[in-house]
Amino acid sequence: LLADKLGYELHNSSILSSTLVKIPSIPNAQDRYEKDISSYKSSATIIFLGTNDIANNVPIASFGATLNKVITDLKQWNTGKLFFVGILPRRDINTTVINSYNSEAENVVEKNGAVFIDTSTWLTDKDYADDIHPTLNAHKIISNNLYNLINE
């Protein structure tokens, strides 16, 4: 939805159920992001990671350190303006926990000159198909909000 609005070509490097931090037997972004992203010369890169790290109880410090490495790598690869989309609320995890991860992410992102996007107020309970996954309408809300922020 967002790529269509922006008129951009989308290269989606997502991996189902993956984490940012390496956890044995779980797919993670570190195993693929260099291969998937380093050769692209993008005008913008959007990082949308973390919800599975929370679900797998990854220590916040490990999450922050790994995010720092990813952002540093992306900047070296000329991946354009970097945006980190804050972790969306989940109905199955306490908001305080999500806020802690988002606070760590915001500190790392801003320290590295990237843009942190706070998503904490974008959706309500009715915007979820289950405890985790936004509905199609919620994806439209997310897309519209991202479009407006990226075009500022």
Side-chain angles (χ1 to χ4, degrees):
L1 295 171
L2 179 60
D4 288 345
K5 281 179 188 278
L6 292 169
Y8 285 4
E9 176 184 335
L10 172 68
H11 176 76
N12 186 347
S13 185
S14 66
I15 304 167
L16 183 64
S17 300
S18 67
T19 57
L20 175 62
V21 175
K22 289 185 180 188
I23 299 173
S25 76
I26 296 176
N28 68 81
Q30 291 183 69
D31 286 343
R32 289 198 34 197
Y33 79 95
E34 182 173 3
K35 177 178 70 78
D36 287 355
I37 298 172
S38 65
S39 64
Y40 284 87
K41 300 304 176 216
S42 304
S43 56
T45 299
I46 300 171
I47 305 166
F48 205 152
L49 291 165
T51 194
N52 293 323
D53 293 85
I54 292 173
N56 286 285
N57 298 311
V58 167
I60 290 175
S62 296
F63 176 76
T66 306
L67 179 59
N68 186 68
K69 181 184 181 333
V70 168
I71 291 173
T72 300
D73 288 346
L74 291 172
K75 287 172 69 174
Q76 289 176 348
W77 298 331
N78 270 338
T79 56
K81 190 167 184 176
L82 297 176
F83 298 90
F84 180 90
V85 179
I87 301 164
L88 291 168
R90 295 175 54 137
R91 294 191 308 202
D92 63 337
I93 294 179
N94 185 297
T95 302
T96 304
V97 173
I98 295 170
N99 290 343
S100 296
Y101 278 80
N102 276 332
S103 180
E104 177 70 12
E106 185 173 15
N107 289 335
V108 169
V109 167
E110 290 179 352
K111 178 183 82 174
N112 282 287
V115 177
F116 178 84
I117 298 175
D118 180 6
T119 62
S120 63
T121 61
W122 289 4
L123 304 178
T124 65
D125 280 348
K126 70 176 176 52
D127 294 316
Y128 287 87
D130 55 22
D131 286 342
I132 304 166
H133 300 98
T135 63
L136 176 58
N137 188 58
H139 280 277
K140 291 176 183 175
I141 293 168
I142 294 166
S143 173
N144 288 336
N145 282 318
L146 288 174
Y147 177 83
N148 291 334
L149 289 168
I150 288 171
N151 280 315
E152 283 186 341

PDB file of all heavy atoms in Angstrom, residues 119-152:
ATOM      1  N   THR A 119       4.315   4.728  16.660  1.00  0.00           N
ATOM      2  CA  THR A 119       3.051   4.165  16.186  1.00  0.00           C
ATOM      3  C   THR A 119       2.054   3.912  17.316  1.00  0.00           C
ATOM      4  O   THR A 119       0.995   3.350  17.080  1.00  0.00           O
ATOM      5  CB  THR A 119       3.303   2.818  15.478  1.00  0.00           C
ATOM      6  OG1 THR A 119       3.880   1.911  16.439  1.00  0.00           O
ATOM      7  CG2 THR A 119       4.229   2.973  14.300  1.00  0.00           C
ATOM      8  N   SER A 120       2.401   4.328  18.513  1.00  0.00           N
ATOM      9  CA  SER A 120       1.638   3.921  19.696  1.00  0.00           C
ATOM     10  C   SER A 120       0.178   4.363  19.696  1.00  0.00           C
ATOM     11  O   SER A 120      -0.642   3.743  20.368  1.00  0.00           O
ATOM     12  CB  SER A 120       2.330   4.404  20.970  1.00  0.00           C
ATOM     13  OG  SER A 120       2.382   5.824  21.001  1.00  0.00           O
ATOM     14  N   THR A 121      -0.164   5.390  18.953  1.00  0.00           N
ATOM     15  CA  THR A 121      -1.549   5.890  18.970  1.00  0.00           C
ATOM     16  C   THR A 121      -2.290   5.643  17.661  1.00  0.00           C
ATOM     17  O   THR A 121      -3.411   6.127  17.485  1.00  0.00           O
ATOM     18  CB  THR A 121      -1.572   7.402  19.271  1.00  0.00           C
ATOM     19  OG1 THR A 121      -0.858   8.087  18.230  1.00  0.00           O
ATOM     20  CG2 THR A 121      -0.950   7.706  20.622  1.00  0.00           C
ATOM     21  N   TRP A 122      -1.706   4.917  16.766  1.00  0.00           N
ATOM     22  CA  TRP A 122      -2.302   4.756  15.448  1.00  0.00           C
ATOM     23  C   TRP A 122      -3.486   3.814  15.412  1.00  0.00           C
ATOM     24  O   TRP A 122      -4.401   3.998  14.608  1.00  0.00           O
ATOM     25  CB  TRP A 122      -1.263   4.257  14.455  1.00  0.00           C
ATOM     26  CG  TRP A 122      -0.216   5.261  14.087  1.00  0.00           C
ATOM     27  CD1 TRP A 122      -0.053   6.523  14.607  1.00  0.00           C
ATOM     28  CD2 TRP A 122       0.817   5.095  13.138  1.00  0.00           C
ATOM     29  NE1 TRP A 122       1.025   7.129  14.032  1.00  0.00           N
ATOM     30  CE2 TRP A 122       1.585   6.275  13.122  1.00  0.00           C
ATOM     31  CE3 TRP A 122       1.185   4.054  12.301  1.00  0.00           C
ATOM     32  CZ2 TRP A 122       2.685   6.450  12.288  1.00  0.00           C
ATOM     33  CZ3 TRP A 122       2.274   4.225  11.476  1.00  0.00           C
ATOM     34  CH2 TRP A 122       3.019   5.411  11.475  1.00  0.00           C
ATOM     35  N   LEU A 123      -3.475   2.764  16.215  1.00  0.00           N
ATOM     36  CA  LEU A 123      -4.513   1.734  16.127  1.00  0.00           C
ATOM     37  C   LEU A 123      -5.259   1.580  17.444  1.00  0.00           C
ATOM     38  O   LEU A 123      -4.734   1.898  18.505  1.00  0.00           O
ATOM     39  CB  LEU A 123      -3.884   0.383  15.740  1.00  0.00           C
ATOM     40  CG  LEU A 123      -3.057   0.355  14.448  1.00  0.00           C
ATOM     41  CD1 LEU A 123      -2.467  -1.029  14.248  1.00  0.00           C
ATOM     42  CD2 LEU A 123      -3.894   0.765  13.257  1.00  0.00           C
ATOM     43  N   THR A 124      -6.480   1.080  17.332  1.00  0.00           N
ATOM     44  CA  THR A 124      -7.272   0.749  18.515  1.00  0.00           C
ATOM     45  C   THR A 124      -7.545  -0.753  18.503  1.00  0.00           C
ATOM     46  O   THR A 124      -7.215  -1.445  17.533  1.00  0.00           O
ATOM     47  CB  THR A 124      -8.621   1.511  18.508  1.00  0.00           C
ATOM     48  OG1 THR A 124      -9.396   1.042  17.393  1.00  0.00           O
ATOM     49  CG2 THR A 124      -8.417   3.012  18.406  1.00  0.00           C
ATOM     50  N   ASP A 125      -8.155  -1.259  19.547  1.00  0.00           N
ATOM     51  CA  ASP A 125      -8.427  -2.700  19.635  1.00  0.00           C
ATOM     52  C   ASP A 125      -9.200  -3.229  18.425  1.00  0.00           C
ATOM     53  O   ASP A 125      -8.965  -4.338  17.972  1.00  0.00           O
ATOM     54  CB  ASP A 125      -9.209  -3.028  20.912  1.00  0.00           C
ATOM     55  CG  ASP A 125      -8.310  -3.087  22.136  1.00  0.00           C
ATOM     56  OD1 ASP A 125      -7.073  -3.093  21.975  1.00  0.00           O
ATOM     57  OD2 ASP A 125      -8.849  -3.138  23.249  1.00  0.00           O
ATOM     58  N   LYS A 126     -10.095  -2.428  17.883  1.00  0.00           N
ATOM     59  CA  LYS A 126     -10.905  -2.895  16.742  1.00  0.00           C
ATOM     60  C   LYS A 126     -10.079  -3.039  15.462  1.00  0.00           C
ATOM     61  O   LYS A 126     -10.533  -3.627  14.482  1.00  0.00           O
ATOM     62  CB  LYS A 126     -12.096  -1.972  16.503  1.00  0.00           C
ATOM     63  CG  LYS A 126     -11.737  -0.603  15.970  1.00  0.00           C
ATOM     64  CD  LYS A 126     -12.976   0.223  15.656  1.00  0.00           C
ATOM     65  CE  LYS A 126     -12.672   1.617  15.217  1.00  0.00           C
ATOM     66  NZ  LYS A 126     -11.746   1.792  14.149  1.00  0.00           N
ATOM     67  N   ASP A 127      -8.840  -2.529  15.472  1.00  0.00           N
ATOM     68  CA  ASP A 127      -7.984  -2.588  14.292  1.00  0.00           C
ATOM     69  C   ASP A 127      -7.148  -3.865  14.204  1.00  0.00           C
ATOM     70  O   ASP A 127      -6.295  -3.979  13.335  1.00  0.00           O
ATOM     71  CB  ASP A 127      -7.045  -1.379  14.265  1.00  0.00           C
ATOM     72  CG  ASP A 127      -7.793  -0.082  14.082  1.00  0.00           C
ATOM     73  OD1 ASP A 127      -8.701  -0.047  13.223  1.00  0.00           O
ATOM     74  OD2 ASP A 127      -7.497   0.894  14.793  1.00  0.00           O
ATOM     75  N   TYR A 128      -7.411  -4.804  15.095  1.00  0.00           N
ATOM     76  CA  TYR A 128      -6.641  -6.052  15.111  1.00  0.00           C
ATOM     77  C   TYR A 128      -7.522  -7.246  14.766  1.00  0.00           C
ATOM     78  O   TYR A 128      -8.634  -7.369  15.257  1.00  0.00           O
ATOM     79  CB  TYR A 128      -5.992  -6.267  16.488  1.00  0.00           C
ATOM     80  CG  TYR A 128      -4.835  -5.331  16.725  1.00  0.00           C
ATOM     81  CD1 TYR A 128      -5.038  -4.060  17.256  1.00  0.00           C
ATOM     82  CD2 TYR A 128      -3.541  -5.701  16.393  1.00  0.00           C
ATOM     83  CE1 TYR A 128      -3.975  -3.184  17.453  1.00  0.00           C
ATOM     84  CE2 TYR A 128      -2.476  -4.844  16.588  1.00  0.00           C
ATOM     85  CZ  TYR A 128      -2.705  -3.588  17.115  1.00  0.00           C
ATOM     86  OH  TYR A 128      -1.650  -2.728  17.302  1.00  0.00           O
ATOM     87  N   ALA A 129      -6.973  -8.130  13.934  1.00  0.00           N
ATOM     88  CA  ALA A 129      -7.675  -9.363  13.572  1.00  0.00           C
ATOM     89  C   ALA A 129      -7.540 -10.397  14.690  1.00  0.00           C
ATOM     90  O   ALA A 129      -8.382 -11.284  14.827  1.00  0.00           O
ATOM     91  CB  ALA A 129      -7.104  -9.931  12.280  1.00  0.00           C
ATOM     92  N   ASP A 130      -6.472 -10.276  15.469  1.00  0.00           N
ATOM     93  CA  ASP A 130      -6.224 -11.138  16.623  1.00  0.00           C
ATOM     94  C   ASP A 130      -5.399 -10.313  17.609  1.00  0.00           C
ATOM     95  O   ASP A 130      -5.441  -9.090  17.545  1.00  0.00           O
ATOM     96  CB  ASP A 130      -5.519 -12.445  16.202  1.00  0.00           C
ATOM     97  CG  ASP A 130      -4.219 -12.217  15.436  1.00  0.00           C
ATOM     98  OD1 ASP A 130      -3.610 -11.129  15.561  1.00  0.00           O
ATOM     99  OD2 ASP A 130      -3.799 -13.133  14.702  1.00  0.00           O
ATOM    100  N   ASP A 131      -4.631 -10.941  18.472  1.00  0.00           N
ATOM    101  CA  ASP A 131      -3.852 -10.182  19.454  1.00  0.00           C
ATOM    102  C   ASP A 131      -2.677  -9.420  18.852  1.00  0.00           C
ATOM    103  O   ASP A 131      -2.148  -8.500  19.459  1.00  0.00           O
ATOM    104  CB  ASP A 131      -3.306 -11.116  20.538  1.00  0.00           C
ATOM    105  CG  ASP A 131      -4.395 -11.579  21.494  1.00  0.00           C
ATOM    106  OD1 ASP A 131      -5.467 -10.946  21.538  1.00  0.00           O
ATOM    107  OD2 ASP A 131      -4.171 -12.580  22.196  1.00  0.00           O
ATOM    108  N   ILE A 132      -2.262  -9.793  17.648  1.00  0.00           N
ATOM    109  CA  ILE A 132      -1.026  -9.266  17.074  1.00  0.00           C
ATOM    110  C   ILE A 132      -1.216  -8.585  15.723  1.00  0.00           C
ATOM    111  O   ILE A 132      -0.634  -7.543  15.444  1.00  0.00           O
ATOM    112  CB  ILE A 132      -0.004 -10.411  16.874  1.00  0.00           C
ATOM    113  CG1 ILE A 132       0.248 -11.133  18.181  1.00  0.00           C
ATOM    114  CG2 ILE A 132       1.294  -9.903  16.284  1.00  0.00           C
ATOM    115  CD1 ILE A 132       0.958 -12.457  18.004  1.00  0.00           C
ATOM    116  N   HIS A 133      -2.011  -9.176  14.863  1.00  0.00           N
ATOM    117  CA  HIS A 133      -2.052  -8.786  13.447  1.00  0.00           C
ATOM    118  C   HIS A 133      -3.116  -7.734  13.143  1.00  0.00           C
ATOM    119  O   HIS A 133      -4.299  -7.953  13.400  1.00  0.00           O
ATOM    120  CB  HIS A 133      -2.285 -10.025  12.581  1.00  0.00           C
ATOM    121  CG  HIS A 133      -1.204 -11.037  12.762  1.00  0.00           C
ATOM    122  ND1 HIS A 133      -1.347 -12.117  13.595  1.00  0.00           N
ATOM    123  CD2 HIS A 133       0.034 -11.111  12.240  1.00  0.00           C
ATOM    124  CE1 HIS A 133      -0.229 -12.822  13.572  1.00  0.00           C
ATOM    125  NE2 HIS A 133       0.626 -12.228  12.764  1.00  0.00           N
ATOM    126  N   PRO A 134      -2.678  -6.622  12.546  1.00  0.00           N
ATOM    127  CA  PRO A 134      -3.627  -5.593  12.142  1.00  0.00           C
ATOM    128  C   PRO A 134      -4.525  -6.077  11.001  1.00  0.00           C
ATOM    129  O   PRO A 134      -4.116  -6.886  10.166  1.00  0.00           O
ATOM    130  CB  PRO A 134      -2.720  -4.453  11.652  1.00  0.00           C
ATOM    131  CG  PRO A 134      -1.390  -4.717  12.262  1.00  0.00           C
ATOM    132  CD  PRO A 134      -1.282  -6.203  12.358  1.00  0.00           C
ATOM    133  N   THR A 135      -5.738  -5.563  10.971  1.00  0.00           N
ATOM    134  CA  THR A 135      -6.682  -5.864   9.888  1.00  0.00           C
ATOM    135  C   THR A 135      -6.252  -5.134   8.613  1.00  0.00           C
ATOM    136  O   THR A 135      -5.352  -4.287   8.639  1.00  0.00           O
ATOM    137  CB  THR A 135      -8.097  -5.391  10.261  1.00  0.00           C
ATOM    138  OG1 THR A 135      -8.052  -3.954  10.417  1.00  0.00           O
ATOM    139  CG2 THR A 135      -8.603  -6.052  11.532  1.00  0.00           C
ATOM    140  N   LEU A 136      -6.935  -5.429   7.513  1.00  0.00           N
ATOM    141  CA  LEU A 136      -6.647  -4.721   6.261  1.00  0.00           C
ATOM    142  C   LEU A 136      -6.882  -3.227   6.439  1.00  0.00           C
ATOM    143  O   LEU A 136      -6.072  -2.414   5.989  1.00  0.00           O
ATOM    144  CB  LEU A 136      -7.514  -5.268   5.122  1.00  0.00           C
ATOM    145  CG  LEU A 136      -7.370  -4.541   3.789  1.00  0.00           C
ATOM    146  CD1 LEU A 136      -5.927  -4.555   3.294  1.00  0.00           C
ATOM    147  CD2 LEU A 136      -8.299  -5.143   2.751  1.00  0.00           C
ATOM    148  N   ASN A 137      -7.948  -2.857   7.098  1.00  0.00           N
ATOM    149  CA  ASN A 137      -8.209  -1.440   7.340  1.00  0.00           C
ATOM    150  C   ASN A 137      -7.083  -0.814   8.166  1.00  0.00           C
ATOM    151  O   ASN A 137      -6.671   0.317   7.910  1.00  0.00           O
ATOM    152  CB  ASN A 137      -9.561  -1.233   8.030  1.00  0.00           C
ATOM    153  CG  ASN A 137      -9.903   0.240   8.109  1.00  0.00           C
ATOM    154  OD1 ASN A 137      -9.980   0.922   7.098  1.00  0.00           O
ATOM    155  ND2 ASN A 137     -10.084   0.730   9.330  1.00  0.00           N
ATOM    156  N   ALA A 138      -6.571  -1.550   9.145  1.00  0.00           N
ATOM    157  CA  ALA A 138      -5.469  -1.041   9.960  1.00  0.00           C
ATOM    158  C   ALA A 138      -4.210  -0.853   9.114  1.00  0.00           C
ATOM    159  O   ALA A 138      -3.465   0.115   9.306  1.00  0.00           O
ATOM    160  CB  ALA A 138      -5.196  -1.985  11.119  1.00  0.00           C
ATOM    161  N   HIS A 139      -3.987  -1.750   8.169  1.00  0.00           N
ATOM    162  CA  HIS A 139      -2.842  -1.585   7.269  1.00  0.00           C
ATOM    163  C   HIS A 139      -2.986  -0.303   6.453  1.00  0.00           C
ATOM    164  O   HIS A 139      -1.991   0.372   6.166  1.00  0.00           O
ATOM    165  CB  HIS A 139      -2.682  -2.795   6.348  1.00  0.00           C
ATOM    166  CG  HIS A 139      -2.011  -3.946   7.017  1.00  0.00           C
ATOM    167  ND1 HIS A 139      -0.647  -4.049   7.136  1.00  0.00           N
ATOM    168  CD2 HIS A 139      -2.517  -5.031   7.633  1.00  0.00           C
ATOM    169  CE1 HIS A 139      -0.343  -5.155   7.777  1.00  0.00           C
ATOM    170  NE2 HIS A 139      -1.465  -5.768   8.099  1.00  0.00           N
ATOM    171  N   LYS A 140      -4.201   0.043   6.088  1.00  0.00           N
ATOM    172  CA  LYS A 140      -4.437   1.306   5.376  1.00  0.00           C
ATOM    173  C   LYS A 140      -4.112   2.494   6.283  1.00  0.00           C
ATOM    174  O   LYS A 140      -3.519   3.479   5.834  1.00  0.00           O
ATOM    175  CB  LYS A 140      -5.877   1.373   4.879  1.00  0.00           C
ATOM    176  CG  LYS A 140      -6.151   0.378   3.768  1.00  0.00           C
ATOM    177  CD  LYS A 140      -7.616   0.385   3.361  1.00  0.00           C
ATOM    178  CE  LYS A 140      -7.882  -0.674   2.306  1.00  0.00           C
ATOM    179  NZ  LYS A 140      -9.307  -0.778   1.963  1.00  0.00           N
ATOM    180  N   ILE A 141      -4.479   2.400   7.556  1.00  0.00           N
ATOM    181  CA  ILE A 141      -4.168   3.460   8.525  1.00  0.00           C
ATOM    182  C   ILE A 141      -2.657   3.604   8.669  1.00  0.00           C
ATOM    183  O   ILE A 141      -2.109   4.716   8.633  1.00  0.00           O
ATOM    184  CB  ILE A 141      -4.822   3.157   9.895  1.00  0.00           C
ATOM    185  CG1 ILE A 141      -6.348   3.237   9.792  1.00  0.00           C
ATOM    186  CG2 ILE A 141      -4.284   4.086  10.981  1.00  0.00           C
ATOM    187  CD1 ILE A 141      -7.082   2.678  10.997  1.00  0.00           C
ATOM    188  N   ILE A 142      -1.976   2.484   8.821  1.00  0.00           N
ATOM    189  CA  ILE A 142      -0.519   2.497   8.947  1.00  0.00           C
ATOM    190  C   ILE A 142       0.110   3.107   7.699  1.00  0.00           C
ATOM    191  O   ILE A 142       0.982   3.980   7.787  1.00  0.00           O
ATOM    192  CB  ILE A 142       0.013   1.062   9.195  1.00  0.00           C
ATOM    193  CG1 ILE A 142      -0.462   0.549  10.561  1.00  0.00           C
ATOM    194  CG2 ILE A 142       1.538   1.011   9.089  1.00  0.00           C
ATOM    195  CD1 ILE A 142      -0.281  -0.952  10.760  1.00  0.00           C
ATOM    196  N   SER A 143      -0.344   2.679   6.542  1.00  0.00           N
ATOM    197  CA  SER A 143       0.183   3.182   5.279  1.00  0.00           C
ATOM    198  C   SER A 143      -0.024   4.691   5.157  1.00  0.00           C
ATOM    199  O   SER A 143       0.900   5.422   4.766  1.00  0.00           O
ATOM    200  CB  SER A 143      -0.492   2.460   4.114  1.00  0.00           C
ATOM    201  OG  SER A 143      -0.124   3.019   2.893  1.00  0.00           O
ATOM    202  N   ASN A 144      -1.205   5.161   5.473  1.00  0.00           N
ATOM    203  CA  ASN A 144      -1.482   6.599   5.391  1.00  0.00           C
ATOM    204  C   ASN A 144      -0.594   7.397   6.332  1.00  0.00           C
ATOM    205  O   ASN A 144      -0.061   8.448   5.967  1.00  0.00           O
ATOM    206  CB  ASN A 144      -2.954   6.894   5.697  1.00  0.00           C
ATOM    207  CG  ASN A 144      -3.880   6.446   4.589  1.00  0.00           C
ATOM    208  OD1 ASN A 144      -3.470   6.323   3.437  1.00  0.00           O
ATOM    209  ND2 ASN A 144      -5.127   6.187   4.931  1.00  0.00           N
ATOM    210  N   ASN A 145      -0.436   6.913   7.562  1.00  0.00           N
ATOM    211  CA  ASN A 145       0.411   7.609   8.540  1.00  0.00           C
ATOM    212  C   ASN A 145       1.871   7.620   8.076  1.00  0.00           C
ATOM    213  O   ASN A 145       2.537   8.649   8.167  1.00  0.00           O
ATOM    214  CB  ASN A 145       0.292   6.958   9.919  1.00  0.00           C
ATOM    215  CG  ASN A 145      -0.982   7.363  10.625  1.00  0.00           C
ATOM    216  OD1 ASN A 145      -1.390   8.518  10.600  1.00  0.00           O
ATOM    217  ND2 ASN A 145      -1.622   6.410  11.259  1.00  0.00           N
ATOM    218  N   LEU A 146       2.359   6.486   7.594  1.00  0.00           N
ATOM    219  CA  LEU A 146       3.743   6.437   7.117  1.00  0.00           C
ATOM    220  C   LEU A 146       3.937   7.366   5.919  1.00  0.00           C
ATOM    221  O   LEU A 146       4.929   8.082   5.833  1.00  0.00           O
ATOM    222  CB  LEU A 146       4.134   5.003   6.748  1.00  0.00           C
ATOM    223  CG  LEU A 146       4.329   4.045   7.904  1.00  0.00           C
ATOM    224  CD1 LEU A 146       4.560   2.629   7.405  1.00  0.00           C
ATOM    225  CD2 LEU A 146       5.496   4.498   8.785  1.00  0.00           C
ATOM    226  N   TYR A 147       2.974   7.356   5.009  1.00  0.00           N
ATOM    227  CA  TYR A 147       3.052   8.218   3.833  1.00  0.00           C
ATOM    228  C   TYR A 147       3.197   9.686   4.261  1.00  0.00           C
ATOM    229  O   TYR A 147       4.060  10.415   3.755  1.00  0.00           O
ATOM    230  CB  TYR A 147       1.815   8.035   2.974  1.00  0.00           C
ATOM    231  CG  TYR A 147       1.778   8.939   1.766  1.00  0.00           C
ATOM    232  CD1 TYR A 147       2.455   8.578   0.598  1.00  0.00           C
ATOM    233  CD2 TYR A 147       1.089  10.141   1.787  1.00  0.00           C
ATOM    234  CE1 TYR A 147       2.456   9.419  -0.514  1.00  0.00           C
ATOM    235  CE2 TYR A 147       1.078  10.965   0.679  1.00  0.00           C
ATOM    236  CZ  TYR A 147       1.764  10.612  -0.459  1.00  0.00           C
ATOM    237  OH  TYR A 147       1.754  11.437  -1.552  1.00  0.00           O
ATOM    238  N   ASN A 148       2.359  10.106   5.190  1.00  0.00           N
ATOM    239  CA  ASN A 148       2.405  11.502   5.649  1.00  0.00           C
ATOM    240  C   ASN A 148       3.733  11.832   6.317  1.00  0.00           C
ATOM    241  O   ASN A 148       4.289  12.915   6.100  1.00  0.00           O
ATOM    242  CB  ASN A 148       1.240  11.784   6.596  1.00  0.00           C
ATOM    243  CG  ASN A 148      -0.093  11.769   5.874  1.00  0.00           C
ATOM    244  OD1 ASN A 148      -0.179  12.025   4.675  1.00  0.00           O
ATOM    245  ND2 ASN A 148      -1.142  11.434   6.597  1.00  0.00           N
ATOM    246  N   LEU A 149       4.258  10.922   7.124  1.00  0.00           N
ATOM    247  CA  LEU A 149       5.520  11.197   7.833  1.00  0.00           C
ATOM    248  C   LEU A 149       6.720  11.159   6.886  1.00  0.00           C
ATOM    249  O   LEU A 149       7.645  11.966   7.027  1.00  0.00           O
ATOM    250  CB  LEU A 149       5.703  10.177   8.952  1.00  0.00           C
ATOM    251  CG  LEU A 149       4.735  10.363  10.122  1.00  0.00           C
ATOM    252  CD1 LEU A 149       4.768   9.160  11.038  1.00  0.00           C
ATOM    253  CD2 LEU A 149       5.070  11.632  10.888  1.00  0.00           C
ATOM    254  N   ILE A 150       6.715  10.243   5.944  1.00  0.00           N
ATOM    255  CA  ILE A 150       7.845  10.143   5.017  1.00  0.00           C
ATOM    256  C   ILE A 150       7.885  11.351   4.082  1.00  0.00           C
ATOM    257  O   ILE A 150       8.964  11.787   3.681  1.00  0.00           O
ATOM    258  CB  ILE A 150       7.748   8.816   4.224  1.00  0.00           C
ATOM    259  CG1 ILE A 150       8.090   7.657   5.156  1.00  0.00           C
ATOM    260  CG2 ILE A 150       8.651   8.824   3.012  1.00  0.00           C
ATOM    261  CD1 ILE A 150       7.835   6.296   4.580  1.00  0.00           C
ATOM    262  N   ASN A 151       6.749  11.926   3.800  1.00  0.00           N
ATOM    263  CA  ASN A 151       6.683  13.074   2.891  1.00  0.00           C
ATOM    264  C   ASN A 151       6.822  14.423   3.591  1.00  0.00           C
ATOM    265  O   ASN A 151       6.670  15.462   2.961  1.00  0.00           O
ATOM    266  CB  ASN A 151       5.388  13.042   2.085  1.00  0.00           C
ATOM    267  CG  ASN A 151       5.491  12.081   0.942  1.00  0.00           C
ATOM    268  OD1 ASN A 151       6.480  12.061   0.237  1.00  0.00           O
ATOM    269  ND2 ASN A 151       4.481  11.259   0.766  1.00  0.00           N
ATOM    270  N   GLU A 152       7.094  14.408   4.883  1.00  0.00           N
ATOM    271  CA  GLU A 152       7.262  15.702   5.598  1.00  0.00           C
ATOM    272  C   GLU A 152       8.506  16.411   5.140  1.00  0.00           C
ATOM    273  O   GLU A 152       9.500  15.865   4.797  1.00  0.00           O
ATOM    274  CB  GLU A 152       7.365  15.464   7.112  1.00  0.00           C
ATOM    275  CG  GLU A 152       6.038  15.188   7.743  1.00  0.00           C
ATOM    276  CD  GLU A 152       6.136  15.089   9.273  1.00  0.00           C
ATOM    277  OE1 GLU A 152       7.228  14.881   9.818  1.00  0.00           O
ATOM    278  OE2 GLU A 152       5.094  15.201   9.898  1.00  0.00           O
TER     279      GLU A 152
END
